[in-house]
Amino acid sequence: MRETITLRRLGPEDLDVLMAVEEGLFDNAILPDQAEAFLNDGRHEMVLAFDGGDAVGMASGQELLHPDKAPAFFINEVGVRESHQRRGIATALCNRLIEVARTRGCEGIWLATEGDNGPARSLYRAMGARETADIVVYDWDGALDR
């Protein structure tokens, strides 16, 4: 019997929950010191999706402050295990982060994805996001290679 998918917004007290996530959900192995710093930074958000006791999806984001405008929110990463894709989990994760961002008073919510990532682009369009053109991304030290 398939378990119901539940979402859990992580906080500083959830380091053990994050460290227990099996490899493959994140791009790389979770680093304990980075995970702890992430969870202890009040501007960072992490939501995990669980099927029973197994983490099958994740989304993270960060509140961005500016001296000349209201805070914005950047959705940094969204991932769902291949075994659980196309079940609405990524949509639910994104919606939870968007809800959190709006509760925080963020007036702009944005993300970026690769031009050839058709599934992600379809997801964001289906969620009503506006796709922009003419944005060029630059990085230093191979930031986008990681």
Short mmCIF file of all heavy atoms in Angstrom, two decimals, residues 74-123:
data_model
loop_
_atom_site.label_atom_id
_atom_site.label_comp_id
_atom_site.label_asym_id
_atom_site.label_seq_id
_atom_site.Cartn_x
_atom_site.Cartn_y
_atom_site.Cartn_z
N PHE A 74 14.43 33.37 -3.27
CA PHE A 74 15.04 32.57 -4.33
C PHE A 74 14.84 31.10 -4.01
O PHE A 74 15.28 30.62 -2.95
CB PHE A 74 16.53 32.90 -4.42
CG PHE A 74 17.30 32.01 -5.36
CD1 PHE A 74 17.01 31.98 -6.71
CD2 PHE A 74 18.31 31.19 -4.88
CE1 PHE A 74 17.73 31.15 -7.58
CE2 PHE A 74 19.03 30.37 -5.74
CZ PHE A 74 18.73 30.35 -7.09
N ILE A 75 14.15 30.38 -4.89
CA ILE A 75 14.04 28.93 -4.76
C ILE A 75 15.30 28.35 -5.39
O ILE A 75 15.52 28.44 -6.59
CB ILE A 75 12.76 28.39 -5.43
CG1 ILE A 75 11.53 28.98 -4.74
CG2 ILE A 75 12.74 26.85 -5.39
CD1 ILE A 75 10.21 28.61 -5.38
N ASN A 76 16.12 27.79 -4.55
CA ASN A 76 17.46 27.38 -4.96
C ASN A 76 17.49 26.02 -5.62
O ASN A 76 18.21 25.81 -6.60
CB ASN A 76 18.38 27.39 -3.73
CG ASN A 76 19.80 27.05 -4.08
OD1 ASN A 76 20.35 27.56 -5.05
ND2 ASN A 76 20.41 26.20 -3.29
N GLU A 77 16.72 25.09 -5.09
CA GLU A 77 16.85 23.72 -5.58
C GLU A 77 15.56 22.96 -5.31
O GLU A 77 14.94 23.11 -4.26
CB GLU A 77 18.01 23.04 -4.84
CG GLU A 77 18.54 21.82 -5.47
CD GLU A 77 19.86 21.36 -4.85
OE1 GLU A 77 20.20 21.76 -3.72
OE2 GLU A 77 20.54 20.58 -5.53
N VAL A 78 15.15 22.16 -6.27
CA VAL A 78 13.97 21.29 -6.13
C VAL A 78 14.36 19.93 -6.69
O VAL A 78 14.90 19.85 -7.80
CB VAL A 78 12.75 21.84 -6.91
CG1 VAL A 78 11.55 20.91 -6.76
CG2 VAL A 78 12.41 23.26 -6.48
N GLY A 79 14.10 18.89 -5.95
CA GLY A 79 14.43 17.55 -6.43
C GLY A 79 13.47 16.51 -5.90
O GLY A 79 13.03 16.60 -4.76
N VAL A 80 13.16 15.55 -6.74
CA VAL A 80 12.29 14.42 -6.36
C VAL A 80 12.95 13.16 -6.89
O VAL A 80 13.40 13.12 -8.04
CB VAL A 80 10.87 14.59 -6.94
CG1 VAL A 80 10.01 13.37 -6.63
CG2 VAL A 80 10.21 15.86 -6.41
N ARG A 81 13.00 12.15 -6.06
CA ARG A 81 13.57 10.88 -6.50
C ARG A 81 12.82 10.38 -7.74
O ARG A 81 11.60 10.53 -7.84
CB ARG A 81 13.50 9.84 -5.40
CG ARG A 81 14.40 10.16 -4.22
CD ARG A 81 14.54 8.96 -3.29
NE ARG A 81 15.20 9.35 -2.06
CZ ARG A 81 16.52 9.43 -1.91
NH1 ARG A 81 17.31 9.15 -2.93
NH2 ARG A 81 17.05 9.78 -0.75
N GLU A 82 13.55 9.77 -8.64
CA GLU A 82 12.96 9.30 -9.89
C GLU A 82 11.76 8.41 -9.65
O GLU A 82 10.75 8.47 -10.36
CB GLU A 82 14.03 8.57 -10.72
CG GLU A 82 13.59 8.28 -12.13
CD GLU A 82 14.71 7.72 -12.99
OE1 GLU A 82 15.89 8.05 -12.74
OE2 GLU A 82 14.39 6.95 -13.91
N SER A 83 11.81 7.59 -8.62
CA SER A 83 10.71 6.67 -8.31
C SER A 83 9.41 7.38 -7.93
O SER A 83 8.34 6.77 -7.95
CB SER A 83 11.12 5.74 -7.15
OG SER A 83 11.38 6.51 -5.98
N HIS A 84 9.50 8.67 -7.59
CA HIS A 84 8.33 9.41 -7.12
C HIS A 84 7.99 10.61 -8.00
O HIS A 84 7.15 11.44 -7.62
CB HIS A 84 8.56 9.85 -5.68
CG HIS A 84 8.41 8.73 -4.70
ND1 HIS A 84 9.33 7.72 -4.59
CD2 HIS A 84 7.43 8.46 -3.82
CE1 HIS A 84 8.94 6.87 -3.66
NE2 HIS A 84 7.79 7.29 -3.18
N GLN A 85 8.62 10.71 -9.15
CA GLN A 85 8.34 11.84 -10.02
C GLN A 85 6.97 11.70 -10.67
O GLN A 85 6.42 10.62 -10.77
CB GLN A 85 9.43 11.96 -11.09
CG GLN A 85 10.75 12.40 -10.48
CD GLN A 85 11.88 12.47 -11.48
OE1 GLN A 85 11.73 12.19 -12.67
NE2 GLN A 85 13.05 12.85 -11.00
N ARG A 86 6.44 12.85 -11.09
CA ARG A 86 5.16 12.96 -11.79
C ARG A 86 3.98 12.56 -10.91
O ARG A 86 3.00 12.00 -11.36
CB ARG A 86 5.17 12.16 -13.09
CG ARG A 86 6.34 12.60 -14.00
CD ARG A 86 6.21 12.25 -15.44
NE ARG A 86 4.98 12.64 -16.06
CZ ARG A 86 4.68 13.86 -16.54
NH1 ARG A 86 5.56 14.83 -16.43
NH2 ARG A 86 3.53 14.10 -17.13
N ARG A 87 4.11 12.88 -9.61
CA ARG A 87 3.03 12.64 -8.65
C ARG A 87 2.60 13.93 -7.96
O ARG A 87 1.86 13.87 -6.98
CB ARG A 87 3.48 11.64 -7.58
CG ARG A 87 3.79 10.26 -8.09
CD ARG A 87 4.07 9.33 -6.93
NE ARG A 87 4.62 8.07 -7.38
CZ ARG A 87 4.93 7.08 -6.56
NH1 ARG A 87 4.76 7.22 -5.26
NH2 ARG A 87 5.43 5.97 -7.03
N GLY A 88 3.11 15.06 -8.41
CA GLY A 88 2.74 16.32 -7.80
C GLY A 88 3.59 16.73 -6.62
O GLY A 88 3.31 17.73 -5.96
N ILE A 89 4.64 15.97 -6.34
CA ILE A 89 5.48 16.26 -5.17
C ILE A 89 6.26 17.55 -5.37
O ILE A 89 6.32 18.40 -4.47
CB ILE A 89 6.41 15.07 -4.87
CG1 ILE A 89 5.57 13.85 -4.49
CG2 ILE A 89 7.41 15.42 -3.77
CD1 ILE A 89 6.34 12.55 -4.39
N ALA A 90 6.86 17.74 -6.54
CA ALA A 90 7.62 18.97 -6.79
C ALA A 90 6.71 20.20 -6.71
O ALA A 90 7.09 21.24 -6.16
CB ALA A 90 8.32 18.91 -8.14
N THR A 91 5.51 20.08 -7.22
CA THR A 91 4.54 21.17 -7.14
C THR A 91 4.23 21.49 -5.69
O THR A 91 4.23 22.67 -5.28
CB THR A 91 3.25 20.81 -7.89
OG1 THR A 91 3.56 20.56 -9.26
CG2 THR A 91 2.23 21.93 -7.80
N ALA A 92 3.98 20.47 -4.89
CA ALA A 92 3.68 20.68 -3.47
C ALA A 92 4.85 21.32 -2.74
O ALA A 92 4.65 22.22 -1.92
CB ALA A 92 3.29 19.35 -2.82
N LEU A 93 6.06 20.87 -3.04
CA LEU A 93 7.25 21.45 -2.40
C LEU A 93 7.40 22.92 -2.77
O LEU A 93 7.64 23.77 -1.91
CB LEU A 93 8.50 20.67 -2.82
CG LEU A 93 8.64 19.27 -2.22
CD1 LEU A 93 9.69 18.47 -2.98
CD2 LEU A 93 8.98 19.34 -0.74
N CYS A 94 7.27 23.23 -4.05
CA CYS A 94 7.38 24.62 -4.49
C CYS A 94 6.28 25.48 -3.86
O CYS A 94 6.55 26.60 -3.40
CB CYS A 94 7.32 24.71 -6.01
SG CYS A 94 8.80 24.12 -6.84
N ASN A 95 5.07 24.96 -3.85
CA ASN A 95 3.96 25.72 -3.26
C ASN A 95 4.22 26.00 -1.79
O ASN A 95 3.89 27.09 -1.30
CB ASN A 95 2.63 24.99 -3.45
CG ASN A 95 2.07 25.18 -4.84
OD1 ASN A 95 2.35 26.16 -5.52
ND2 ASN A 95 1.28 24.22 -5.28
N ARG A 96 4.79 25.05 -1.07
CA ARG A 96 5.10 25.28 0.35
C ARG A 96 6.14 26.38 0.50
O ARG A 96 5.99 27.27 1.34
CB ARG A 96 5.58 23.98 1.00
CG ARG A 96 5.94 24.11 2.47
CD ARG A 96 4.76 24.47 3.39
NE ARG A 96 3.72 23.48 3.37
CZ ARG A 96 3.66 22.40 4.17
NH1 ARG A 96 4.61 22.19 5.06
NH2 ARG A 96 2.67 21.56 4.06
N LEU A 97 7.19 26.36 -0.33
CA LEU A 97 8.19 27.43 -0.25
C LEU A 97 7.58 28.78 -0.61
O LEU A 97 7.89 29.80 0.01
CB LEU A 97 9.38 27.12 -1.15
CG LEU A 97 10.38 26.10 -0.64
CD1 LEU A 97 11.53 25.95 -1.64
CD2 LEU A 97 10.92 26.45 0.73
N ILE A 98 6.73 28.81 -1.61
CA ILE A 98 6.08 30.06 -2.01
C ILE A 98 5.21 30.59 -0.88
O ILE A 98 5.21 31.79 -0.58
CB ILE A 98 5.28 29.86 -3.32
CG1 ILE A 98 6.26 29.65 -4.48
CG2 ILE A 98 4.34 31.03 -3.58
CD1 ILE A 98 5.61 29.15 -5.76
N GLU A 99 4.50 29.70 -0.22
CA GLU A 99 3.67 30.08 0.93
C GLU A 99 4.53 30.69 2.04
O GLU A 99 4.20 31.72 2.62
CB GLU A 99 2.93 28.84 1.44
CG GLU A 99 2.14 29.01 2.70
CD GLU A 99 1.59 27.67 3.16
OE1 GLU A 99 0.79 27.06 2.42
OE2 GLU A 99 1.97 27.22 4.27
N VAL A 100 5.66 30.05 2.33
CA VAL A 100 6.58 30.55 3.35
C VAL A 100 7.10 31.93 2.95
O VAL A 100 7.14 32.85 3.76
CB VAL A 100 7.75 29.56 3.57
CG1 VAL A 100 8.87 30.18 4.39
CG2 VAL A 100 7.24 28.28 4.23
N ALA A 101 7.49 32.07 1.69
CA ALA A 101 8.02 33.35 1.21
C ALA A 101 6.99 34.47 1.35
O ALA A 101 7.31 35.57 1.80
CB ALA A 101 8.46 33.22 -0.25
N ARG A 102 5.77 34.19 0.99
CA ARG A 102 4.72 35.21 1.09
C ARG A 102 4.43 35.55 2.54
O ARG A 102 4.18 36.71 2.88
CB ARG A 102 3.47 34.74 0.36
CG ARG A 102 3.70 34.76 -1.15
CD ARG A 102 2.47 34.41 -1.93
NE ARG A 102 2.74 34.60 -3.36
CZ ARG A 102 2.28 33.82 -4.31
NH1 ARG A 102 1.49 32.80 -4.00
NH2 ARG A 102 2.56 34.07 -5.57
N THR A 103 4.47 34.55 3.42
CA THR A 103 4.28 34.80 4.85
C THR A 103 5.37 35.72 5.40
O THR A 103 5.13 36.53 6.27
CB THR A 103 4.26 33.46 5.63
OG1 THR A 103 3.18 32.67 5.15
CG2 THR A 103 4.12 33.67 7.11
N ARG A 104 6.57 35.58 4.86
CA ARG A 104 7.70 36.42 5.27
C ARG A 104 7.61 37.84 4.71
O ARG A 104 8.42 38.67 5.03
CB ARG A 104 9.01 35.81 4.76
CG ARG A 104 9.43 34.55 5.46
CD ARG A 104 10.64 33.97 4.70
NE ARG A 104 11.24 32.90 5.41
CZ ARG A 104 12.39 32.99 6.07
NH1 ARG A 104 13.05 34.10 6.10
NH2 ARG A 104 12.87 31.93 6.71
N GLY A 105 6.68 38.08 3.79
CA GLY A 105 6.55 39.40 3.19
C GLY A 105 7.38 39.58 1.93
O GLY A 105 7.55 40.70 1.45
N CYS A 106 7.87 38.50 1.38
CA CYS A 106 8.65 38.59 0.14
C CYS A 106 7.73 38.98 -1.01
O CYS A 106 6.66 38.39 -1.18
CB CYS A 106 9.35 37.26 -0.15
SG CYS A 106 10.58 36.81 1.09
N GLU A 107 8.15 39.94 -1.79
CA GLU A 107 7.34 40.42 -2.89
C GLU A 107 7.77 39.87 -4.24
O GLU A 107 7.08 40.03 -5.22
CB GLU A 107 7.35 41.95 -2.92
CG GLU A 107 6.64 42.53 -1.72
CD GLU A 107 6.54 44.03 -1.78
OE1 GLU A 107 6.90 44.64 -2.81
OE2 GLU A 107 6.09 44.60 -0.78
N GLY A 108 8.88 39.25 -4.30
CA GLY A 108 9.36 38.61 -5.53
C GLY A 108 9.84 37.22 -5.20
O GLY A 108 10.56 37.01 -4.24
N ILE A 109 9.39 36.24 -5.98
CA ILE A 109 9.82 34.86 -5.81
C ILE A 109 10.34 34.41 -7.16
O ILE A 109 9.67 34.59 -8.17
CB ILE A 109 8.65 33.97 -5.35
CG1 ILE A 109 8.08 34.49 -4.03
CG2 ILE A 109 9.10 32.51 -5.22
CD1 ILE A 109 6.74 33.91 -3.66
N TRP A 110 11.54 33.86 -7.18
CA TRP A 110 12.12 33.49 -8.47
C TRP A 110 13.02 32.28 -8.34
O TRP A 110 13.41 31.88 -7.25
CB TRP A 110 12.88 34.67 -9.07
CG TRP A 110 14.08 35.13 -8.30
CD1 TRP A 110 14.08 35.87 -7.15
CD2 TRP A 110 15.44 34.87 -8.61
NE1 TRP A 110 15.37 36.09 -6.74
CE2 TRP A 110 16.23 35.49 -7.61
CE3 TRP A 110 16.07 34.18 -9.63
CZ2 TRP A 110 17.63 35.43 -7.62
CZ3 TRP A 110 17.47 34.12 -9.64
CH2 TRP A 110 18.21 34.74 -8.64
N LEU A 111 13.31 31.70 -9.48
CA LEU A 111 14.25 30.59 -9.59
C LEU A 111 14.80 30.57 -11.00
O LEU A 111 14.33 31.30 -11.86
CB LEU A 111 13.58 29.25 -9.23
CG LEU A 111 12.35 28.82 -10.01
CD1 LEU A 111 12.69 28.27 -11.38
CD2 LEU A 111 11.60 27.76 -9.22
N ALA A 112 15.76 29.72 -11.21
CA ALA A 112 16.34 29.55 -12.55
C ALA A 112 16.54 28.06 -12.78
O ALA A 112 16.70 27.29 -11.84
CB ALA A 112 17.67 30.28 -12.65
N THR A 113 16.48 27.67 -14.04
CA THR A 113 16.77 26.28 -14.39
C THR A 113 17.46 26.28 -15.76
O THR A 113 17.46 27.29 -16.47
CB THR A 113 15.50 25.41 -14.41
OG1 THR A 113 15.88 24.03 -14.49
CG2 THR A 113 14.58 25.77 -15.56
N GLU A 114 18.04 25.17 -16.10
CA GLU A 114 18.72 25.05 -17.37
C GLU A 114 17.71 25.13 -18.51
O GLU A 114 16.59 24.63 -18.40
CB GLU A 114 19.49 23.72 -17.45
CG GLU A 114 20.60 23.59 -16.43
CD GLU A 114 20.12 23.15 -15.05
OE1 GLU A 114 18.92 22.85 -14.86
OE2 GLU A 114 20.96 23.12 -14.13
N GLY A 115 18.12 25.71 -19.62
CA GLY A 115 17.25 25.85 -20.77
C GLY A 115 16.77 24.52 -21.33
O GLY A 115 15.68 24.43 -21.88
N ASP A 116 17.57 23.46 -21.16
CA ASP A 116 17.18 22.15 -21.71
C ASP A 116 16.48 21.26 -20.68
O ASP A 116 16.25 20.09 -20.95
CB ASP A 116 18.39 21.44 -22.30
CG ASP A 116 19.46 21.10 -21.26
OD1 ASP A 116 19.35 21.54 -20.09
OD2 ASP A 116 20.43 20.41 -21.63
N ASN A 117 16.11 21.82 -19.52
CA ASN A 117 15.43 21.04 -18.49
C ASN A 117 13.92 21.14 -18.72
O ASN A 117 13.20 21.86 -18.04
CB ASN A 117 15.81 21.53 -17.09
CG ASN A 117 15.30 20.62 -16.00
OD1 ASN A 117 14.40 19.81 -16.20
ND2 ASN A 117 15.90 20.74 -14.83
N GLY A 118 13.45 20.39 -19.70
CA GLY A 118 12.04 20.43 -20.09
C GLY A 118 11.07 20.12 -18.96
O GLY A 118 10.08 20.83 -18.80
N PRO A 119 11.30 19.05 -18.16
CA PRO A 119 10.37 18.76 -17.08
C PRO A 119 10.24 19.91 -16.07
O PRO A 119 9.13 20.25 -15.65
CB PRO A 119 10.95 17.50 -16.43
CG PRO A 119 11.71 16.84 -17.53
CD PRO A 119 12.30 17.98 -18.34
N ALA A 120 11.36 20.50 -15.69
CA ALA A 120 11.30 21.62 -14.73
C ALA A 120 10.58 22.81 -15.34
O ALA A 120 9.73 23.43 -14.70
CB ALA A 120 12.71 22.01 -14.28
N ARG A 121 10.90 23.12 -16.58
CA ARG A 121 10.26 24.27 -17.23
C ARG A 121 8.75 24.05 -17.36
O ARG A 121 7.96 24.97 -17.15
CB ARG A 121 10.90 24.53 -18.58
CG ARG A 121 12.36 25.02 -18.41
CD ARG A 121 13.05 25.22 -19.71
NE ARG A 121 12.48 26.41 -20.36
CZ ARG A 121 12.84 26.81 -21.57
NH1 ARG A 121 13.73 26.12 -22.26
NH2 ARG A 121 12.30 27.89 -22.10
N SER A 122 8.34 22.83 -17.67
CA SER A 122 6.91 22.52 -17.75
C SER A 122 6.25 22.66 -16.39
O SER A 122 5.14 23.19 -16.29
CB SER A 122 6.70 21.09 -18.27
OG SER A 122 7.11 20.99 -19.60
N LEU A 123 6.92 22.21 -15.35
CA LEU A 123 6.40 22.32 -13.99
C LEU A 123 6.15 23.79 -13.63
O LEU A 123 5.06 24.15 -13.18
CB LEU A 123 7.37 21.70 -12.98
CG LEU A 123 7.12 22.03 -11.51
CD1 LEU A 123 5.82 21.39 -11.02
CD2 LEU A 123 8.30 21.60 -10.67
#
